[in-house]
């Protein structure tokens, strides 16, 4: 069921970059794309012809946003990693320690969530820059850099209260999926003063065709 957490309002398709057909299909899809966002380690896609220089040559005007655990520079640039590992290595785990000896945890995967929103903001900023100046735009973000930023912020002892009427239920919604109902957090923000909503049914992991949906 955890795969559905990452599929809110998304299609889900699988491609094998190691095959000629998979690479050709991806190249065709990128030809119709405005933005490419990926979470592979720096340089991991170079062997598939998907490095920054190759993308700029084949798909001029594309916005490319890359997310990694440790960033592309430094001795850990080529390492794998994920939120909890970065929390431990950056010192967040000890900052959240209940007794100063045992590592603690944040109440959520905040580095994943926070950096995800920063990726969205980076994509929008790059699209605006591309529209004004042209060219292929690249943006790189890392969980480690977000951790460094968070550790530099003042620590507040109190959390924002939940709405008094419904408590935590005011933040949750239930959607349909092939595996049954999935309860998840409502999308943040409003548009024209209307609350945002997720599509009522979630895609199945790998269940969609590797194609752009009809207009």
């Amino acid at each position: 069921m955890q795969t559905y957490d990452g599929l809110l309002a998304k299609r889900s398709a699988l491609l094998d970059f190691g095959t000629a057909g998979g690479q050709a299909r991806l190249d065709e899809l990128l030809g119709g794309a405005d933005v490419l966002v990926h979470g592979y380690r720096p340089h991991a896609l170079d062997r598939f012809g998907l490095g920054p220089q190759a993308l700029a040559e084949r798909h001029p005007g594309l916005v490319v946003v890359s997310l990694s655990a440790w960033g592309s520079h430094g001795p850990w640039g080529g390492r794998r990693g994920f939120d909890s590992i970065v929390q431990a290595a950056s010192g967040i785990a000890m900052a959240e320690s209940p007794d100063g000896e045992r590592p603690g945890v944040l109440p959520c995967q905040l580095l994943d969530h926070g950096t995800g929103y920063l990726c969205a903001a980076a994509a929008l900023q790059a699209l605006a820059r591309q529209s004004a100046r042209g060219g292929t735009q690249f943006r790189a973000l890392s969980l480690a850099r977000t951790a460094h930023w968070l550790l530099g912020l003042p620590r507040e002892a109190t959390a924002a209260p939940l709405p008094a009427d419904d408590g935590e239920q005011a933040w949750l919604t239930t959607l349909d999926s092939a595996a049954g109902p999935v309860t998840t957090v409502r999308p943040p923000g409003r548009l024209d003063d209307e609350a945002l909503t997720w599509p009522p049914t979630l895609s199945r992991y790998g269940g969609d065709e590797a194609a752009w949906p009809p207009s």
Side-chain angles (χ1 to χ4, degrees), residues 62-121:
L62 188 67
V63 168
V64 181
V65 180
S66 65
L67 166 64
S68 63
W70 310 107
S72 58
H73 303 290
W76 286 20
R79 292 189 179 187
R80 296 175 174 86
F82 53 91
D83 190 309
S84 300
I85 296 295
V86 178
Q87 284 191 40
S90 65
I92 288 178
M94 288 310 298
E96 295 293 321
S97 170
D99 55 14
E101 296 184 3
R102 293 174 297 158
V105 294
L106 291 168
C108 67
Q109 297 294 87
L110 186 58
L111 302 184
D112 281 346
H113 289 286
T115 313
Y117 285 115
L118 292 174
C119 284

Side-chain angles (χ1 to χ4, degrees), residues 61-207:
L62 188 67
V63 168
V64 181
V65 180
S66 65
L67 166 64
S68 63
W70 310 107
S72 58
H73 303 290
W76 286 20
R79 292 189 179 187
R80 296 175 174 86
F82 53 91
D83 190 309
S84 300
I85 296 295
V86 178
Q87 284 191 40
S90 65
I92 288 178
M94 288 310 298
E96 295 293 321
S97 170
D99 55 14
E101 296 184 3
R102 293 174 297 158
V105 294
L106 291 168
C108 67
Q109 297 294 87
L110 186 58
L111 302 184
D112 281 346
H113 289 286
T115 313
Y117 285 115
L118 292 174
C119 284
L124 292 173
Q125 188 267 354
L127 283 170
R129 181 71 61 86
Q130 196 276 341
S131 177
R133 303 184 183 181
T136 306
Q137 301 287 322
F138 295 93
R139 301 293 184 272
L141 298 94
S142 71
L143 301 182
R145 187 65 184 85
T146 301
H148 178 75
W149 173 50
L150 290 174
L151 286 167
L153 296 175
R155 294 175 59 82
E156 300 291 340
T158 58
L162 293 172
D165 50 358
D166 297 316
E168 68 176 18
Q169 293 305 312
W171 302 95
L172 302 177
T173 186
T174 299
L175 308 172
D176 293 329
S177 77
V182 174
T183 298
T184 188
V185 177
R186 296 180 185 275
R190 303 176 72 84
L191 185 63
D192 293 335
D193 207 33
E194 293 290 330
L196 301 177
T197 59
W198 301 120
T201 303
L202 295 171
S203 291
R204 179 176 57 83
Y205 178 73

